[in-house]
Amino acid sequence: MKKRLKALPLKIQLAGVGFGLVLLLVAGYMFVVSPQHAQAAKLQTQVDAQQSAIYHRRAQLRAGMHPPTIQTADLFRLARAMPDREDMPGIILTLSQVARAAGIKFDLIEPVLAATPPVAGSYQEHRIHLLFNGDFYGLSDFLYRIRSLVAVHDGKLDASGRLFNVDTVTFNVTGNTFPQISAELFVDAYVYALAPPTTAATPPPATTPSDSTSDSSVTAAGATP
């Protein structure tokens, strides 16, 4: 079998390698990238449910009723997966640590400026741009580890880190060097958008009757002998 493969022209061999790489890319998208969108929607639903429970508890406290018990552990895991602040240094540190655990290193990790401001009660995506040169299987391990930071098992949230969504992955192979590849990735981190604090309107400062005071002073001075 090996002799037959070696007997094939080089173009056919390269075409076979390229076809295999395309199959790997399709499989990686189906099993790694695509499920993250559904994962983000599930997480947003759980965040809304916990937020409603908090509002309900506050209403009961105002009415003097005995409040129900809130599962603090679940709320803590939600806050870990989708915090209410950006913390871009922490995001970059997490990506670097996961890459180190997968045995790879990125040539570039840089944030991309957000296009729209967050909406209260929803979530905002913060995009990170990554460049990679190295082993394809190490990068696949990184994608698996990023996805495994947040998961739902039997309806229960399991969050060992922040929620990331690998939005775009572009591969490039130079010559016959596979599994050595170069890749460009765009990863989204999620931030829960809180309602902005309301500030009471301050009344305008009262004006002092400076003109009338000046007139009175002049009149009094003129009346003095």
Side-chain angles (χ1 to χ4, degrees):
M1 186 64 184
K2 292 183 178 179
K3 293 182 179 180
R4 292 181 179 180
L5 291 176
K6 291 181 179 179
L8 292 174
L10 180 59
K11 292 184 178 179
I12 298 179
Q13 294 182 17
L14 293 176
V17 173
F19 180 73
L21 181 59
V22 170
L23 290 179
L24 288 175
L25 292 178
V26 172
Y29 179 83
M30 293 178 61
F31 292 102
V32 178
V33 178
S34 182
Q36 290 294 333
H37 295 284
Q39 185 73 10
K42 290 181 180 179
L43 187 60
Q44 177 62 31
T45 302
Q46 294 183 0
V47 169
D48 293 339
Q50 291 293 337
Q51 194 71 21
S52 299
I54 293 175
Y55 290 151
H56 183 62
R57 182 181 180 184
R58 289 176 179 174
Q60 288 182 332
L61 286 174
R62 294 190 189 99
M65 299 174 60
H66 182 70
T69 302
I70 295 181
Q71 298 180 358
T72 308
D74 292 341
L75 188 60
F76 176 76
R77 285 192 288 267
L78 284 172
R80 176 187 293 175
M82 188 183 292
D84 58 359
R85 59 193 182 94
E86 177 184 346
D87 187 21
M88 185 55 67
I91 293 175
I92 296 177
L93 179 61
T94 300
L95 292 173
S96 300
Q97 290 175 343
V98 176
R100 191 180 304 112
I104 64 174
K105 182 180 180 181
F106 287 100
D107 297 334
L108 175 68
I109 302 178
E110 62 175 358
V112 180
L113 295 179
T116 56
V119 180
S122 181
Y123 63 88
Q124 185 186 28
E125 297 178 354
H126 289 271
R127 176 159 292 197
I128 302 94
H129 179 218
L130 303 98
L131 293 179
F132 171 77
N133 284 282
D135 183 68
F136 170 80
Y137 301 104
L139 183 61
S140 299
D141 188 21
F142 167 80
L143 296 176
Y144 172 78
R145 290 174 184 269
I146 279 292
R147 181 192 175 193
S148 301
L149 290 178
V150 178
V152 177
H153 302 289
D154 298 329
K156 294 183 179 180
L157 178 66
D158 183 14
S160 59
R162 195 161 187 155
L163 175 66
F164 290 97
N165 174 40
V166 182
D167 184 68
T168 305
V169 181
T170 305
F171 294 93
N172 185 28
V173 180
T174 304
N176 192 18
T177 60
F178 186 82
Q180 295 297 314
I181 64 169
S182 60
E184 182 180 30
L185 298 84
F186 285 94
V187 179
D188 294 328
Y190 294 89
V191 176
Y192 183 73
L194 297 175
T198 57
T199 57
T202 57
T207 58
T208 58
S210 57
D211 296 339
S212 59
T213 303
S214 302
D215 293 340
S216 300
S217 302
V218 172
T219 304
T224 304

